[in-house]
C-alpha cells in the first residue's frame, strides 16, 4: 500500500474495440471504411497530427475507382483531379515534337467497355481527405490523429496495444479482436511482430519537385497522364498533380550532380525550364523532396490476429502506378472479410484467404515495379491484376446506362439469375450465412455476363464469382454447396 506522502500513479486507461487500424493513409482509411460500412466498430490511430499535404500517388486505377463509385465517392474524388488520357508522351522537351504511347491503364474508349467508371488522375492529398470525411460520417468509426503505437502483445484471443499521445506522451491500452497494420513502409507493428521484408530496399534515388507553372497552356490538347522528357541535362518526367497547373517533376538522383542530397529551388527551376523547353518559364517551386525506389514484400501478412496491409506488407516503386491501388484493393479485401467474421457470416477460416488471394497480385506488382521498363506494359497485360477476376460489367438495359451489374453488388452475397428465377429465389431465402440478394437479369444482360437462360451466378462483395451454374442446376443443392465451400 502507498504511504500518505507517496503520490498514487493513476492506472493506465483501457478500452476495447473489434478492430484497431494503425495508420490513416489510403490503406488504413479503406480498411476502416469497409468495416464501418458493415456496421463494425473501428478505431483508427495515426501518428501524424494531420494528413499529408503531398500529392504523392496520383493515378487511381479502374478497379479502385469502381470501389470508390460503390461508396458514392466517384464524383467527389474526380473533383480534385484533372481530366487526362491514359497515355505517355515522350520527347526531348515539352515544347518539342514527340511520340505518344499507351500505358497500363485503359484509355477512355477501353474503359467505356470494361467498366462503369474509368481511371482518374487525382493527387493523394485530395483523395485522403475525401476518404477520411467519409469514414467520419459513420457513427461506428473513431479516428485519433497524433497517436502512436509503443507496445504490442499478440494474445490468444485478441491483440493488446499500448498507444501514446504524441503531444502529451500519455499512454493507454486498447484490446482489439483484430489489428490491421497500415502504418507504412517503416511499420512499427510489422517490426514488433518480427516480420521481415524481402527484396531490394534501395533500387535508386529520385528527386521530386512540386511546382506550379502554366504547362497546360503549352501542352494544349496533349492532356496525358505522364510526360517523359529526354533532354540530356534534364531527363525526367512531368506528372500532373491536381488543379491549378500543379505539377511534379521527377528526376533520377544520379542525373543531378549536386553536393547536397537535393537541388536548390533555383537549380530545380533551371531543370524544369530545360525540360519544358521554355527558357522564360518561371515555375513556382513549392517543395523539393527525395524518395527511394523500393520493391519489397513482407515474409507473411499475418501474425495471429494482426494483419499487414498497404506499404507495411508491400513496397512498390512508382513505375506503373500500382502501389496505392494495390494497397487500397488489399485493404478492401481485408475489411470485408474481417466484417464477415465479426458479424458471424463466415467462420475465421475466411481470413486465411486474405493473403492467399492478395499476395500474388502484390508480388506481381512489386516485381513489375522493380523492372526499369515495368511502366511500359500495356493495359491488356495488366488489367487482370487490377480487376482481379471480378464479374463482367454490363449496363442494365432498363436503366439507360446508369446502373451496371457491378452496382448491384452488396455487402453480402449477390445472386444473378435469369428466367425462370422463382426456384432460385426460394432457395436463396433458405441459405444461412451472409445476406443473399437476388437480381433477375434480362436475357441480353445475362448473356453479357455469361449466364445461360435458367442459370445463375453468385458473387462476393468484391465481385469475385462464388458459384456459377448452368441451366438445369438444382438451386437449393447448388447454394448449399456454395455455403459449405465458403
Amino acid at each position: 500500500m502507498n504511504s500518505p506522502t507517496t503520490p498514487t500513479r493513476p492506472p493506465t486507461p483501457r478500452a476495447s474495440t473489434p478492430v484497431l487500424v494503425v495508420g490513416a493513409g489510403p490503406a488504413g482509411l479503406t480498411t476502416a471504411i469497409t468495416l464501418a460500412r458493415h456496421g463494425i466498430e473501428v478505431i483508427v490511430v495515426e501518428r501524424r497530427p494531420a494528413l499529408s499535404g503531398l500529392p504523392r500517388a496520383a493515378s487511381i486505377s479502374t478497379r479502385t475507382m469502381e470501389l470508390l463509385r460503390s461508396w458514392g465517392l466517384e464524383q467527389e474524388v474526380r473533383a480534385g483531379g484533372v481530366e487526362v488520357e491514359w497515355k505517355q508522351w515522350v520527347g526531348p522537351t515539352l515544347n518539342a515534337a514527340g511520340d505518344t504511347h499507351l500505358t497500363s491503364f485503359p484509355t477512355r474508349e477501353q474503359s467505356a467497355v470494361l467498366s462503369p467508371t474509368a481511371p482518374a488522375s487525382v493527387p493523394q492529398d485530395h483523395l485522403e481527405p475525401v476518404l477520411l470525411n467519409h469514414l467520419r460520417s459513420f457513427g461506428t468509426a473513431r479516428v485519433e490523429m497524433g497517436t502512436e503505437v509503443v507496445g504490442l502483445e499478440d494474445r490468444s484471443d485478441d491483440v493488446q496495444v499500448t498507444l501514446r499521445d504524441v503531444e502529451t506522451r500519455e499512454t493507454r491500452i486498447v484490446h482489439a479482436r483484430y489489428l490491421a497494420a497500415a502504418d507504412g513502409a517503416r511499420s512499427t507493428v510489422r517490426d514488433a511482430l518480427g516480420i521481415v521484408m524481402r527484396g531490394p530496399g534501395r533500387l535508386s534515388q529520385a528527386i521530386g519537385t512540386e511546382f506550379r507553372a502554366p504547362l497546360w497552356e503549352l501542352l494544349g490538347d496533349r492532356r496525358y497522364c505522364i510526360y517523359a522528357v529526354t533532354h540530356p541535362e534534364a531527363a525526367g518526367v512531368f506528372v500532373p498533380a491536381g488543379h491549378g497547373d500543379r505539377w511534379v517533376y521527377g528526376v533520377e538522383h544520379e542525373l543531378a550532380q549536386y553536393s547536397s542530397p537535393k537541388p536548390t529551388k533555383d537549380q530545380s527551376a533551371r531543370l524544369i525550364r530545360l525540360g519544358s523547353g521554355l527558357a522564360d518559364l518561371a515555375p513556382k517551386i513549392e517543395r523539393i523532396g527525395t524518395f527511394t525506389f523500393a520493391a519489397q514484400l513482407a515474409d507473411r501478412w499475418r501474425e495471429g490476429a494482426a494483419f499487414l496491409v498497404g506499404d507495411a506488407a508491400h513496397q512498390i516503386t512508382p513505375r506503373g502506378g500500382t502501389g496505392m491501388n494495390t494497397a487500397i484493393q488489399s485493404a478492401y479485401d481485408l475489411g470485408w472479410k474481417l466484417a464477415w467474421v465479426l458479424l458471424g457470416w463466415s467462420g475465421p477460416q475466411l481470413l486465411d484467404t486474405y493473403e492467399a488471394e492478395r499476395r500474388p497480385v502484390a508480388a506481381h506488382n512489386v516485381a513489375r515495379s522493380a523492372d526499369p521498363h515495368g511502366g511500359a506494359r500495356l493495359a491488356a497485360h495488366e488489367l487482370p491484376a487490377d480487376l482481379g477476376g471480378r464479374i463482367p460489367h454490363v449496363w442494365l438495359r432498363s436503366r439507360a446506362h446508369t446502373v451496371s451489374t457491378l452496382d448491384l453488388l452488396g455487402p453480402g452475397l449477390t445472386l444473378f439469375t435469369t428466367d425462370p428465377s422463382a426456384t432460385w429465389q426460394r432457395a436463396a431465402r433458405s441459405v444461412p450465412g451472409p445476406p443473399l440478394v437476388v437480381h433477375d437479369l434480362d436475357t441480353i444482360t445475362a448473356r453479357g455476363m455469361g449466364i445461360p437462360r435458367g442459370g445463375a451466378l453468385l458473387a462476393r462483395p468484391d465481385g469475385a464469382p462464388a458459384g456459377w451454374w448452368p441451366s438445369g442446376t438444382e438451386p437449393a443443392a447448388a447454394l448449399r454447396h456454395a455455403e459449405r465451400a465458403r
Side-chain angles (χ1 to χ4, degrees):
M1 180 180 295
N2 294 314
S3 67
T5 58
T6 302
T8 302
R9 185 183 184 91
T12 302
R14 295 171 181 265
S16 62
T17 183
V19 183
L20 176 67
V21 176
V22 183
L29 293 172
T30 298
T31 305
I33 287 170
T34 309
L35 288 160
R37 290 181 66 87
H38 281 80
I40 302 296
E41 292 184 6
V42 58
I43 298 175
V44 180
V45 296
E46 167 58 55
R47 189 181 189 282
R48 299 170 299 172
L51 298 180
S52 173
L54 304 178
R56 302 178 71 179
S59 298
I60 306 180
S61 75
T62 307
R63 182 57 188 153
T64 302
M65 284 304 299
E66 289 175 355
L67 295 177
L68 296 171
R69 172 188 170 90
S70 73
W71 295 343
L73 301 179
E74 180 180 11
Q75 296 310 314
E76 188 176 357
V77 169
R78 289 191 185 278
V82 292
E83 287 296 325
V84 299
E85 183 56 278
W86 290 93
K87 296 179 180 179
Q88 180 184 44
W89 184 91
V90 182
T93 70
L94 297 180
N95 199 28
D99 299 315
T100 304
H101 305 274
L102 295 174
T103 68
S104 59
F105 282 22
T107 63
R108 293 173 186 172
E109 291 77 10
Q110 292 171 328
S111 294
V113 177
L114 292 166
S115 175
T117 183
S121 177
V122 178
Q124 192 169 325
D125 58 351
H126 173 78
L127 173 64
E128 286 186 2
V130 171
L131 294 177
L132 179 59
N133 290 338
H134 185 58
L135 175 61
R136 283 176 166 162
S137 70
F138 297 95
T140 56
R142 187 165 88 241
V143 181
E144 302 179 10
M145 306 299 288
T147 303
E148 62 183 349
V149 174
V150 293
L152 180 68
E153 182 182 343
D154 186 15
R155 309 190 311 172
S156 60
D157 56 347
D158 67 5
V159 183
Q160 178 177 291
V161 184
T162 303
L163 301 176
R164 181 169 63 194
D165 185 292
V166 173
E167 183 176 352
T168 67
R169 315 304 286 177
E170 292 182 355
T171 63
R172 73 183 197 276
I173 291 175
V174 171
H175 290 274
R177 179 65 191 89
Y178 295 105
L179 170 68
D183 51 343
R186 292 182 290 275
S187 171
T188 299
V189 175
R190 186 187 64 226
D191 289 345
L193 295 173
I195 300 176
V196 177
M197 297 290 283
R198 305 288 181 184
R202 192 182 179 89
L203 282 168
S204 66
Q205 281 281 109
I207 298 170
T209 302
E210 181 186 335
F211 70 97
R212 295 182 187 270
L215 295 185
W216 287 123
E217 180 180 336
L218 166 65
L219 295 167
D221 293 336
R222 292 180 293 155
R223 296 184 67 89
Y224 301 136
C225 63
I226 187 169
Y227 303 81
V229 296
T230 59
H231 190 290
E233 294 182 59
V237 295
F238 288 89
V239 179
H243 289 168
D245 257 318
R246 185 191 191 202
W247 295 83
V248 171
Y249 175 64
V251 58
E252 291 287 334
H253 192 278
E254 289 77 14
L255 297 177
Q257 302 301 318
Y258 305 109
S259 57
S260 61
K262 58 186 179 182
T264 65
K265 287 188 175 182
D266 287 343
Q267 290 170 327
S268 289
R270 175 180 175 273
L271 287 175
I272 291 168
R273 281 192 290 271
L274 290 173
S276 69
L278 298 177
D280 59 349
L281 186 71
K284 180 183 177 182
I285 308 297
E286 297 187 343
R287 182 183 177 277
I288 304 169
T290 61
F291 57 96
T292 302
F293 280 27
Q296 296 186 309
L297 198 62
D299 271 354
R300 59 189 187 282
W301 292 8
R302 179 181 185 179
E303 182 66 35
F307 297 82
L308 304 184
V309 66
D311 285 354
H314 46 71
Q315 296 176 42
I316 300 174
T317 81
R319 297 177 187 130
T322 63
M324 182 181 70
N325 294 294
T326 307
I328 288 175
Q329 293 168 32
S330 294
Y332 173 76
D333 187 84
L334 176 61
W336 76 259
K337 289 173 179 176
L338 285 172
W340 274 34
V341 172
L342 289 166
L343 290 169
W345 294 356
S346 178
Q349 69 276 7
L350 179 65
L351 300 178
D352 295 334
T353 68
Y354 163 58
E355 182 172 354
E357 294 183 355
R358 291 301 306 172
R359 187 182 185 91
V361 177
H364 170 87
N365 289 334
V366 167
R368 175 191 173 193
S369 79
D371 178 0
H373 305 291
R377 300 184 186 180
L378 297 180
H381 298 146
E382 297 304 319
L383 273 169
D386 185 49
L387 299 184
R390 56 106 169 111
I391 62 172
H393 149 67
V394 183
W395 291 116
L396 299 191
R397 300 183 73 201
S398 60
R399 307 292 183 90
H401 282 201
T402 59
V403 177
S404 162
T405 49
L406 299 179
D407 298 328
L408 301 181
L409 296 169
L413 293 170
T414 304
L415 183 68
F416 297 93
T417 66
T418 65
D419 290 334
S421 63
T423 53
W424 284 103
Q425 298 213 31
R426 284 195 299 270
R429 288 193 289 269
S430 66
V431 175
L436 198 164
V437 177
V438 181
H439 290 283
D440 293 333
L441 303 179
D442 63 86
T443 302
I444 299 301
T445 303
R447 284 174 62 87
M449 296 184 70
I451 306 173
R453 179 177 173 81
L457 168 61
L458 185 67
R460 306 187 317 186
D462 59 355
W468 203 309
W469 300 286
S471 176
T473 301
E474 202 284 306
L479 292 177
R480 284 195 299 271
H481 178 75
E483 168 65 18
R484 288 194 297 271
R486 183 180 57 77

